[in-house]
Amino acid sequence: MNESLFPPEPFLRGSIPNSFAEDTFDRRIPEIFSQVNKTFEETLKNVNPSDIEKIKEGNEIKNKLERLLDDIKNDREFNEIVPDEYSDCEEWNDCINFWKKRNEGTFKKCSWLFAESYLYRVLANYMSVSKYWKKYDAFTIKKENSLIGPTWKSVVAMADMINPIISSDEDNSLENTFINFLKYSLWGNQADLSLHTSAKANLTNLHKITLDEIKKSDVNLISDASSKIWNYVSTLKGKRIDFILDNAGYETYNDLVFADWLMSKGFASSIVWHCKQIPWYVSDTNIKDFNWIIDTCINPPESLNEFDNTNVIDMAKRWKSYLENGQWILNDDIFWTSNYPFRHMETFAPKLYEYLSESSLLIFKGDMNYRKTVYDCYWPFTTPFIEACGDFGKPSSSTNKPLPPYACLRTCKADVIAGLEEGVSEKLDKICKEWLVNGKYGIIQYNDKYSN
Ligand SMILES: O=P(O)(O)OC[C@@]1(O)O[C@H](CO)[C@@H](O)[C@@H]1O
């Protein structure tokens, strides 16, 4: 890490008064990590008393987690990450030491992007260096409940509406259907578990199922490149499309349905699913979560027998066959959980960059992927999106191939945004004080600068 890698505008930081980053470290993160500790303690309590070594190690992890929470609350300095199974350890420590040397090596003084990402990396480290808790993910139950809880009603309704469309040859409204899918996929991002930390939050209220609901939400779509994206996608025949996933549960389910449609209409013949390698920002999709969604849709638990699950099962069986015959590919490159913005991907993950350049379209889901696409800084809101992306997409220095066009589908949950028309932010300031961060507003933005 060095200063030349800083963004062109000031970083978002927890030390900035009244920013969402400040609120994140004062309120949201302590809540999330208290819940992590509670969940871990409950799991520990349920370990078979004869597993003495596992309990002993669990207690050590419990102490580490308590110390971490205390460090967060007191804004203490970061600690180096001890070597573990992941390949990015040195890189992280290099960055930690860089921030410390600048006297900015604490949660609030550092850039928000680094400080919060560091927390999830540390959590993964505690488990990784253990013997008995390696595979432990404190967020698994939350992630699973976000599909098979009250959400299942939406899962079934979506399958009943979409499966017949996927299975039919009817294609005279392809443009409309495509744009509706983009919007389902966008609004699916509202329900992320790191924003709605309260156990009482009813995320099902946020699910958009009917076309009517999608239409009504158009007033909250504050930057919309969907027609441009369609103009490009309509030219694709049997290509590869990549989804850079965000939240497990209902959001990823929507993306699976979308991809299924893209395959069935011949635009794509393969899909690459980019997941996270470690538990990340509470609800992000790991490969195990991805597989769990498909397996659960094929075999819904008995508690969901009151529903007619025929269409869900039918779709999920098709998804499984796409995975089995290699048309759907799973990837969890460690770069997706780095602290770097995407404009530094070519430097820090050249192989991933080359791999993405072989695709025909990248779809980045969610707020964090957006923050990394434009770099997490205070852009004037009317900065063109393409400008805010910097040189992310430029031809690779080894293959000379640029990235394909890419789209960002994001509901706004951080005080960074670019690409707004003049006057839009002023109007929003008047109608909703928290429009930048409460997840009510969404954007669909597109960059094809390097592929033209
Ligand atoms: O990427 P996602 O799931 O859409 O959002 C992640 C998120 O909840 O976590 C970030 C950091 O706390 C916030 O910027 C954002 O609201």
Side-chain angles (χ1 to χ4, degrees), residues 426-442:
E426 291 80 356
K427 220 166 94 194
L428 288 165
D429 282 338
K430 285 189 192 128
I431 53 178
C432 178
K433 213 167 73 267
E434 296 192 309
W435 66 273
L436 266 170
V437 299
N438 64 4
K440 181 172 170 193
Y441 294 88

mmCIF file with all atom_site columns, all heavy atoms in Angstrom, residues 426-442:
data_model
loop_
_atom_site.group_PDB
_atom_site.id
_atom_site.type_symbol
_atom_site.label_atom_id
_atom_site.label_alt_id
_atom_site.label_comp_id
_atom_site.label_asym_id
_atom_site.label_entity_id
_atom_site.label_seq_id
_atom_site.pdbx_PDB_ins_code
_atom_site.Cartn_x
_atom_site.Cartn_y
_atom_site.Cartn_z
_atom_site.occupancy
_atom_site.B_iso_or_equiv
_atom_site.pdbx_formal_charge
_atom_site.auth_seq_id
_atom_site.auth_comp_id
_atom_site.auth_asym_id
_atom_site.auth_atom_id
_atom_site.pdbx_PDB_model_num
ATOM 1   N N   . GLU A 1 426 ? -30.281 17.392 -4.700 1.00 0.00 ? 426 GLU A N   1
ATOM 2   C CA  . GLU A 1 426 ? -30.951 18.501 -3.995 1.00 0.00 ? 426 GLU A CA  1
ATOM 3   C C   . GLU A 1 426 ? -32.424 18.141 -3.757 1.00 0.00 ? 426 GLU A C   1
ATOM 4   O O   . GLU A 1 426 ? -32.977 18.384 -2.678 1.00 0.00 ? 426 GLU A O   1
ATOM 5   C CB  . GLU A 1 426 ? -30.864 19.807 -4.805 1.00 0.00 ? 426 GLU A CB  1
ATOM 6   C CG  . GLU A 1 426 ? -29.475 20.412 -4.898 1.00 0.00 ? 426 GLU A CG  1
ATOM 7   C CD  . GLU A 1 426 ? -28.581 19.747 -5.944 1.00 0.00 ? 426 GLU A CD  1
ATOM 8   O OE1 . GLU A 1 426 ? -29.010 18.758 -6.567 1.00 0.00 ? 426 GLU A OE1 1
ATOM 9   O OE2 . GLU A 1 426 ? -27.425 20.200 -6.120 1.00 0.00 ? 426 GLU A OE2 1
ATOM 10  N N   . LYS A 1 427 ? -33.033 17.546 -4.765 1.00 0.00 ? 427 LYS A N   1
ATOM 11  C CA  . LYS A 1 427 ? -34.453 17.157 -4.634 1.00 0.00 ? 427 LYS A CA  1
ATOM 12  C C   . LYS A 1 427 ? -34.595 16.089 -3.537 1.00 0.00 ? 427 LYS A C   1
ATOM 13  O O   . LYS A 1 427 ? -35.479 16.154 -2.688 1.00 0.00 ? 427 LYS A O   1
ATOM 14  C CB  . LYS A 1 427 ? -34.935 16.578 -5.975 1.00 0.00 ? 427 LYS A CB  1
ATOM 15  C CG  . LYS A 1 427 ? -36.351 17.019 -6.329 1.00 0.00 ? 427 LYS A CG  1
ATOM 16  C CD  . LYS A 1 427 ? -36.687 16.733 -7.760 1.00 0.00 ? 427 LYS A CD  1
ATOM 17  C CE  . LYS A 1 427 ? -37.391 15.390 -7.876 1.00 0.00 ? 427 LYS A CE  1
ATOM 18  N NZ  . LYS A 1 427 ? -37.452 14.892 -9.247 1.00 0.00 ? 427 LYS A NZ  1
ATOM 19  N N   . LEU A 1 428 ? -33.671 15.122 -3.564 1.00 0.00 ? 428 LEU A N   1
ATOM 20  C CA  . LEU A 1 428 ? -33.746 14.034 -2.583 1.00 0.00 ? 428 LEU A CA  1
ATOM 21  C C   . LEU A 1 428 ? -33.517 14.542 -1.162 1.00 0.00 ? 428 LEU A C   1
ATOM 22  O O   . LEU A 1 428 ? -34.170 14.095 -0.216 1.00 0.00 ? 428 LEU A O   1
ATOM 23  C CB  . LEU A 1 428 ? -32.723 12.954 -2.921 1.00 0.00 ? 428 LEU A CB  1
ATOM 24  C CG  . LEU A 1 428 ? -33.069 12.120 -4.152 1.00 0.00 ? 428 LEU A CG  1
ATOM 25  C CD1 . LEU A 1 428 ? -31.856 11.341 -4.642 1.00 0.00 ? 428 LEU A CD1 1
ATOM 26  C CD2 . LEU A 1 428 ? -34.209 11.160 -3.858 1.00 0.00 ? 428 LEU A CD2 1
ATOM 27  N N   . ASP A 1 429 ? -32.587 15.501 -1.016 1.00 0.00 ? 429 ASP A N   1
ATOM 28  C CA  . ASP A 1 429 ? -32.331 16.077 0.314  1.00 0.00 ? 429 ASP A CA  1
ATOM 29  C C   . ASP A 1 429 ? -33.625 16.584 0.937  1.00 0.00 ? 429 ASP A C   1
ATOM 30  O O   . ASP A 1 429 ? -33.811 16.511 2.144  1.00 0.00 ? 429 ASP A O   1
ATOM 31  C CB  . ASP A 1 429 ? -31.351 17.259 0.214  1.00 0.00 ? 429 ASP A CB  1
ATOM 32  C CG  . ASP A 1 429 ? -29.922 16.779 0.055  1.00 0.00 ? 429 ASP A CG  1
ATOM 33  O OD1 . ASP A 1 429 ? -29.645 15.623 0.429  1.00 0.00 ? 429 ASP A OD1 1
ATOM 34  O OD2 . ASP A 1 429 ? -29.083 17.542 -0.459 1.00 0.00 ? 429 ASP A OD2 1
ATOM 35  N N   . LYS A 1 430 ? -34.508 17.103 0.062  1.00 0.00 ? 430 LYS A N   1
ATOM 36  C CA  . LYS A 1 430 ? -35.752 17.683 0.595  1.00 0.00 ? 430 LYS A CA  1
ATOM 37  C C   . LYS A 1 430 ? -36.757 16.613 0.986  1.00 0.00 ? 430 LYS A C   1
ATOM 38  O O   . LYS A 1 430 ? -37.542 16.808 1.905  1.00 0.00 ? 430 LYS A O   1
ATOM 39  C CB  . LYS A 1 430 ? -36.383 18.605 -0.456 1.00 0.00 ? 430 LYS A CB  1
ATOM 40  C CG  . LYS A 1 430 ? -35.623 19.915 -0.569 1.00 0.00 ? 430 LYS A CG  1
ATOM 41  C CD  . LYS A 1 430 ? -36.362 20.909 -1.443 1.00 0.00 ? 430 LYS A CD  1
ATOM 42  C CE  . LYS A 1 430 ? -35.424 22.067 -1.763 1.00 0.00 ? 430 LYS A CE  1
ATOM 43  N NZ  . LYS A 1 430 ? -35.319 22.349 -3.187 1.00 0.00 ? 430 LYS A NZ  1
ATOM 44  N N   . ILE A 1 431 ? -36.754 15.477 0.277  1.00 0.00 ? 431 ILE A N   1
ATOM 45  C CA  . ILE A 1 431 ? -37.802 14.495 0.593  1.00 0.00 ? 431 ILE A CA  1
ATOM 46  C C   . ILE A 1 431 ? -37.361 13.380 1.545  1.00 0.00 ? 431 ILE A C   1
ATOM 47  O O   . ILE A 1 431 ? -38.188 12.746 2.184  1.00 0.00 ? 431 ILE A O   1
ATOM 48  C CB  . ILE A 1 431 ? -38.443 13.870 -0.682 1.00 0.00 ? 431 ILE A CB  1
ATOM 49  C CG1 . ILE A 1 431 ? -37.372 13.284 -1.613 1.00 0.00 ? 431 ILE A CG1 1
ATOM 50  C CG2 . ILE A 1 431 ? -39.297 14.875 -1.418 1.00 0.00 ? 431 ILE A CG2 1
ATOM 51  C CD1 . ILE A 1 431 ? -37.973 12.621 -2.837 1.00 0.00 ? 431 ILE A CD1 1
ATOM 52  N N   . CYS A 1 432 ? -36.060 13.135 1.656  1.00 0.00 ? 432 CYS A N   1
ATOM 53  C CA  . CYS A 1 432 ? -35.623 12.035 2.528  1.00 0.00 ? 432 CYS A CA  1
ATOM 54  C C   . CYS A 1 432 ? -34.195 12.310 2.983  1.00 0.00 ? 432 CYS A C   1
ATOM 55  O O   . CYS A 1 432 ? -33.252 12.162 2.199  1.00 0.00 ? 432 CYS A O   1
ATOM 56  C CB  . CYS A 1 432 ? -35.706 10.713 1.750  1.00 0.00 ? 432 CYS A CB  1
ATOM 57  S SG  . CYS A 1 432 ? -35.148 9.303  2.688  1.00 0.00 ? 432 CYS A SG  1
ATOM 58  N N   . LYS A 1 433 ? -34.081 12.675 4.240  1.00 0.00 ? 433 LYS A N   1
ATOM 59  C CA  . LYS A 1 433 ? -32.771 13.079 4.776  1.00 0.00 ? 433 LYS A CA  1
ATOM 60  C C   . LYS A 1 433 ? -31.724 11.966 4.609  1.00 0.00 ? 433 LYS A C   1
ATOM 61  O O   . LYS A 1 433 ? -30.545 12.219 4.426  1.00 0.00 ? 433 LYS A O   1
ATOM 62  C CB  . LYS A 1 433 ? -32.971 13.394 6.265  1.00 0.00 ? 433 LYS A CB  1
ATOM 63  C CG  . LYS A 1 433 ? -32.081 14.488 6.796  1.00 0.00 ? 433 LYS A CG  1
ATOM 64  C CD  . LYS A 1 433 ? -32.533 14.984 8.160  1.00 0.00 ? 433 LYS A CD  1
ATOM 65  C CE  . LYS A 1 433 ? -32.299 14.100 9.257  1.00 0.00 ? 433 LYS A CE  1
ATOM 66  N NZ  . LYS A 1 433 ? -32.542 13.222 10.079 1.00 0.00 ? 433 LYS A NZ  1
ATOM 67  N N   . GLU A 1 434 ? -32.186 10.729 4.685  1.00 0.00 ? 434 GLU A N   1
ATOM 68  C CA  . GLU A 1 434 ? -31.230 9.608  4.687  1.00 0.00 ? 434 GLU A CA  1
ATOM 69  C C   . GLU A 1 434 ? -31.141 8.881  3.349  1.00 0.00 ? 434 GLU A C   1
ATOM 70  O O   . GLU A 1 434 ? -30.790 7.712  3.294  1.00 0.00 ? 434 GLU A O   1
ATOM 71  C CB  . GLU A 1 434 ? -31.644 8.615  5.771  1.00 0.00 ? 434 GLU A CB  1
ATOM 72  C CG  . GLU A 1 434 ? -31.568 9.212  7.157  1.00 0.00 ? 434 GLU A CG  1
ATOM 73  C CD  . GLU A 1 434 ? -31.698 8.135  8.208  1.00 0.00 ? 434 GLU A CD  1
ATOM 74  O OE1 . GLU A 1 434 ? -32.662 7.357  8.096  1.00 0.00 ? 434 GLU A OE1 1
ATOM 75  O OE2 . GLU A 1 434 ? -30.845 8.080  9.095  1.00 0.00 ? 434 GLU A OE2 1
ATOM 76  N N   . TRP A 1 435 ? -31.463 9.590  2.268  1.00 0.00 ? 435 TRP A N   1
ATOM 77  C CA  . TRP A 1 435 ? -31.572 8.916  0.976  1.00 0.00 ? 435 TRP A CA  1
ATOM 78  C C   . TRP A 1 435 ? -30.294 8.189  0.550  1.00 0.00 ? 435 TRP A C   1
ATOM 79  O O   . TRP A 1 435 ? -30.345 7.178  -0.142 1.00 0.00 ? 435 TRP A O   1
ATOM 80  C CB  . TRP A 1 435 ? -32.001 9.908  -0.115 1.00 0.00 ? 435 TRP A CB  1
ATOM 81  C CG  . TRP A 1 435 ? -31.000 10.995 -0.428 1.00 0.00 ? 435 TRP A CG  1
ATOM 82  C CD1 . TRP A 1 435 ? -30.863 12.187 0.193  1.00 0.00 ? 435 TRP A CD1 1
ATOM 83  C CD2 . TRP A 1 435 ? -29.979 10.961 -1.443 1.00 0.00 ? 435 TRP A CD2 1
ATOM 84  N NE1 . TRP A 1 435 ? -29.840 12.920 -0.355 1.00 0.00 ? 435 TRP A NE1 1
ATOM 85  C CE2 . TRP A 1 435 ? -29.277 12.190 -1.368 1.00 0.00 ? 435 TRP A CE2 1
ATOM 86  C CE3 . TRP A 1 435 ? -29.591 10.029 -2.414 1.00 0.00 ? 435 TRP A CE3 1
ATOM 87  C CZ2 . TRP A 1 435 ? -28.217 12.502 -2.219 1.00 0.00 ? 435 TRP A CZ2 1
ATOM 88  C CZ3 . TRP A 1 435 ? -28.532 10.346 -3.265 1.00 0.00 ? 435 TRP A CZ3 1
ATOM 89  C CH2 . TRP A 1 435 ? -27.857 11.562 -3.155 1.00 0.00 ? 435 TRP A CH2 1
ATOM 90  N N   . LEU A 1 436 ? -29.143 8.680  1.012  1.00 0.00 ? 436 LEU A N   1
ATOM 91  C CA  . LEU A 1 436 ? -27.875 8.069  0.590  1.00 0.00 ? 436 LEU A CA  1
ATOM 92  C C   . LEU A 1 436 ? -27.611 6.728  1.267  1.00 0.00 ? 436 LEU A C   1
ATOM 93  O O   . LEU A 1 436 ? -26.842 5.920  0.757  1.00 0.00 ? 436 LEU A O   1
ATOM 94  C CB  . LEU A 1 436 ? -26.720 9.003  0.962  1.00 0.00 ? 436 LEU A CB  1
ATOM 95  C CG  . LEU A 1 436 ? -26.234 9.986  -0.083 1.00 0.00 ? 436 LEU A CG  1
ATOM 96  C CD1 . LEU A 1 436 ? -25.258 10.974 0.546  1.00 0.00 ? 436 LEU A CD1 1
ATOM 97  C CD2 . LEU A 1 436 ? -25.563 9.256  -1.235 1.00 0.00 ? 436 LEU A CD2 1
ATOM 98  N N   . VAL A 1 437 ? -28.215 6.523  2.419  1.00 0.00 ? 437 VAL A N   1
ATOM 99  C CA  . VAL A 1 437 ? -27.761 5.388  3.237  1.00 0.00 ? 437 VAL A CA  1
ATOM 100 C C   . VAL A 1 437 ? -28.852 4.418  3.700  1.00 0.00 ? 437 VAL A C   1
ATOM 101 O O   . VAL A 1 437 ? -28.532 3.381  4.282  1.00 0.00 ? 437 VAL A O   1
ATOM 102 C CB  . VAL A 1 437 ? -27.012 5.891  4.501  1.00 0.00 ? 437 VAL A CB  1
ATOM 103 C CG1 . VAL A 1 437 ? -25.780 6.684  4.120  1.00 0.00 ? 437 VAL A CG1 1
ATOM 104 C CG2 . VAL A 1 437 ? -27.901 6.714  5.421  1.00 0.00 ? 437 VAL A CG2 1
ATOM 105 N N   . ASN A 1 438 ? -30.120 4.744  3.463  1.00 0.00 ? 438 ASN A N   1
ATOM 106 C CA  . ASN A 1 438 ? -31.139 3.876  4.076  1.00 0.00 ? 438 ASN A CA  1
ATOM 107 C C   . ASN A 1 438 ? -31.616 2.727  3.180  1.00 0.00 ? 438 ASN A C   1
ATOM 108 O O   . ASN A 1 438 ? -32.524 1.981  3.547  1.00 0.00 ? 438 ASN A O   1
ATOM 109 C CB  . ASN A 1 438 ? -32.327 4.695  4.595  1.00 0.00 ? 438 ASN A CB  1
ATOM 110 C CG  . ASN A 1 438 ? -33.076 5.389  3.472  1.00 0.00 ? 438 ASN A CG  1
ATOM 111 O OD1 . ASN A 1 438 ? -32.730 5.191  2.299  1.00 0.00 ? 438 ASN A OD1 1
ATOM 112 N ND2 . ASN A 1 438 ? -34.072 6.182  3.811  1.00 0.00 ? 438 ASN A ND2 1
ATOM 113 N N   . GLY A 1 439 ? -31.021 2.596  2.016  1.00 0.00 ? 439 GLY A N   1
ATOM 114 C CA  . GLY A 1 439 ? -31.334 1.455  1.162  1.00 0.00 ? 439 GLY A CA  1
ATOM 115 C C   . GLY A 1 439 ? -32.654 1.591  0.406  1.00 0.00 ? 439 GLY A C   1
ATOM 116 O O   . GLY A 1 439 ? -33.056 0.677  -0.316 1.00 0.00 ? 439 GLY A O   1
ATOM 117 N N   . LYS A 1 440 ? -33.293 2.751  0.533  1.00 0.00 ? 440 LYS A N   1
ATOM 118 C CA  . LYS A 1 440 ? -34.587 2.923  -0.144 1.00 0.00 ? 440 LYS A CA  1
ATOM 119 C C   . LYS A 1 440 ? -34.390 3.262  -1.623 1.00 0.00 ? 440 LYS A C   1
ATOM 120 O O   . LYS A 1 440 ? -35.231 2.966  -2.458 1.00 0.00 ? 440 LYS A O   1
ATOM 121 C CB  . LYS A 1 440 ? -35.327 4.061  0.567  1.00 0.00 ? 440 LYS A CB  1
ATOM 122 C CG  . LYS A 1 440 ? -36.683 4.362  0.027  1.00 0.00 ? 440 LYS A CG  1
ATOM 123 C CD  . LYS A 1 440 ? -37.420 5.353  0.913  1.00 0.00 ? 440 LYS A CD  1
ATOM 124 C CE  . LYS A 1 440 ? -38.672 5.824  0.211  1.00 0.00 ? 440 LYS A CE  1
ATOM 125 N NZ  . LYS A 1 440 ? -39.263 6.994  0.856  1.00 0.00 ? 440 LYS A NZ  1
ATOM 126 N N   . TYR A 1 441 ? -33.271 3.889  -1.940 1.00 0.00 ? 441 TYR A N   1
ATOM 127 C CA  . TYR A 1 441 ? -33.041 4.350  -3.318 1.00 0.00 ? 441 TYR A CA  1
ATOM 128 C C   . TYR A 1 441 ? -32.031 3.450  -4.025 1.00 0.00 ? 441 TYR A C   1
ATOM 129 O O   . TYR A 1 441 ? -31.140 2.884  -3.378 1.00 0.00 ? 441 TYR A O   1
ATOM 130 C CB  . TYR A 1 441 ? -32.560 5.808  -3.307 1.00 0.00 ? 441 TYR A CB  1
ATOM 131 C CG  . TYR A 1 441 ? -33.654 6.716  -2.799 1.00 0.00 ? 441 TYR A CG  1
ATOM 132 C CD1 . TYR A 1 441 ? -33.789 6.977  -1.430 1.00 0.00 ? 441 TYR A CD1 1
ATOM 133 C CD2 . TYR A 1 441 ? -34.614 7.230  -3.661 1.00 0.00 ? 441 TYR A CD2 1
ATOM 134 C CE1 . TYR A 1 441 ? -34.829 7.751  -0.955 1.00 0.00 ? 441 TYR A CE1 1
ATOM 135 C CE2 . TYR A 1 441 ? -35.663 8.004  -3.189 1.00 0.00 ? 441 TYR A CE2 1
ATOM 136 C CZ  . TYR A 1 441 ? -35.765 8.266  -1.842 1.00 0.00 ? 441 TYR A CZ  1
ATOM 137 O OH  . TYR A 1 441 ? -36.807 9.016  -1.373 1.00 0.00 ? 441 TYR A OH  1
ATOM 138 N N   . GLY A 1 442 ? -32.208 3.330  -5.333 1.00 0.00 ? 442 GLY A N   1
ATOM 139 C CA  . GLY A 1 442 ? -31.340 2.403  -6.059 1.00 0.00 ? 442 GLY A CA  1
ATOM 140 C C   . GLY A 1 442 ? -30.771 3.013  -7.327 1.00 0.00 ? 442 GLY A C   1
ATOM 141 O O   . GLY A 1 442 ? -31.298 4.003  -7.860 1.00 0.00 ? 442 GLY A O   1
#
